[in-house]
Amino acid sequence: YDQGEAYGRYKRAREASVDMLIALAPTISDLLTADQKRKLPARVASHLDTRYLAGIRSGTAGNTGGGVFMPGMMMGGGGGEQRVIIRGP
């Protein structure tokens, strides 16, 4: 395989994923109360910050062990995973 081409595809996909989060973060943030936001783990809260997202968009700066794809925060089994439940007022 062509390593440059593979990396280019990965980078474009990563940037597109982060662009989606940048577009959605303000809407998601507006849905949460101040109390709910305080209860979010820092790793999750950072993904609602468009400045942070812009910083990680094109590289690995701010990579939290998976960038925008956070281990333990997605569907999956196994012990040790973290679960965040946000309930309305």
Side-chain angles (χ1 to χ4, degrees):
Y1 73 96
D2 181 319
Q3 184 176 5
E5 180 184 346
Y7 181 75
R9 293 175 84 177
Y10 154 77
K11 187 174 180 201
R12 285 188 301 277
R14 176 187 173 90
E15 289 173 349
S17 296
V18 175
D19 287 344
M20 281 191 214
L21 283 173
I22 289 171
L24 291 171
T27 301
I28 294 168
S29 185
D30 289 346
L31 293 172
L32 302 174
T33 66
D35 189 47
Q36 289 171 323
K37 289 177 189 177
R38 278 191 299 276
K39 292 178 182 178
L40 290 174
R43 188 160 88 173
V44 174
S46 67
H47 286 80
L48 295 178
D49 179 353
T50 55
R51 291 172 296 175
Y52 169 80
L53 293 169
I56 67 165
R57 181 180 182 269
S58 295
T60 56
N63 190 336
T64 57
V68 297
F69 307 104
M70 302 173 295
M73 300 304 292
M74 302 178 82
M75 289 188 345
E81 74 182 55
Q82 183 174 5
R83 182 172 301 180
V84 177
I85 299 173
I86 300 172
R87 294 194 173 112

